[in-house]
């Protein structure tokens, strides 16, 4: 299973820094990458499992104020699904 994940940053061009760099380098840094999805309930999230970075691309989009900007979109692959009991 693969997910497209839009990187960190609300305004201006996204950069490969902070959280975006952490996603890009998580294997090199020997860190696990877990994906969570916001639920309908306020403040609640569902754990989707452990993922790994596959690739990324830069595409054009809009920021929070509607201005054009470059966005980093990561492709993440499921490594370990969440066990449902």
């Amino acid at each position: 299973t693969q997910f497209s994940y839009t990187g960190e940053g609300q305004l201006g061009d996204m950069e490969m820094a902070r959280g975006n760099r952490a996603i890009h380098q998580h294997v090199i840094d020997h860190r696990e990458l877990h994906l969570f999805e916001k639920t309908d309930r306020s403040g609640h999230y569902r754990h989707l499992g452990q993922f790994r970075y596959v690739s990324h691309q830069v595409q054009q989009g809009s920021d929070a104020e509607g201005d054009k900007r470059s966005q980093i979109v990561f492709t993440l692959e499921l490594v370990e699904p969440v066990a449902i009991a």
Side-chain angles (χ1 to χ4, degrees):
T1 303
Q2 290 189 339
F3 279 83
S4 292
Y5 179 83
T6 303
E8 173 183 59
Q10 296 287 319
L11 298 173
D13 291 336
M14 289 185 179
E15 300 175 351
M16 195 59 77
R18 298 170 304 281
N20 294 334
R21 186 177 64 193
I23 292 169
H24 185 250
Q25 292 187 246
H26 81 96
V27 173
I28 294 166
D29 294 338
H30 304 286
R31 294 183 176 267
E32 291 182 355
L33 179 63
H34 292 263
L35 191 61
F36 293 83
E37 177 180 55
K38 190 172 184 178
T39 67
D40 291 339
R41 294 180 55 198
S42 178
H44 291 260
Y45 293 82
R46 181 171 61 106
H47 182 231
L48 299 178
Q50 182 179 340
F51 286 75
R52 72 173 180 86
Y53 167 87
V54 174
S55 64
H56 72 277
Q57 61 181 342
V58 177
Q59 62 186 38
Q60 293 301 304
S62 299
D63 69 12
E65 295 179 349
D67 295 324
K68 292 185 188 267
R69 58 121 169 225
S70 295
Q71 297 176 320
I72 300 171
V73 180
F74 295 97
T75 298
L76 307 176
E77 183 174 68
L78 183 64
V79 172
E80 184 178 312
V82 176
I84 299 175

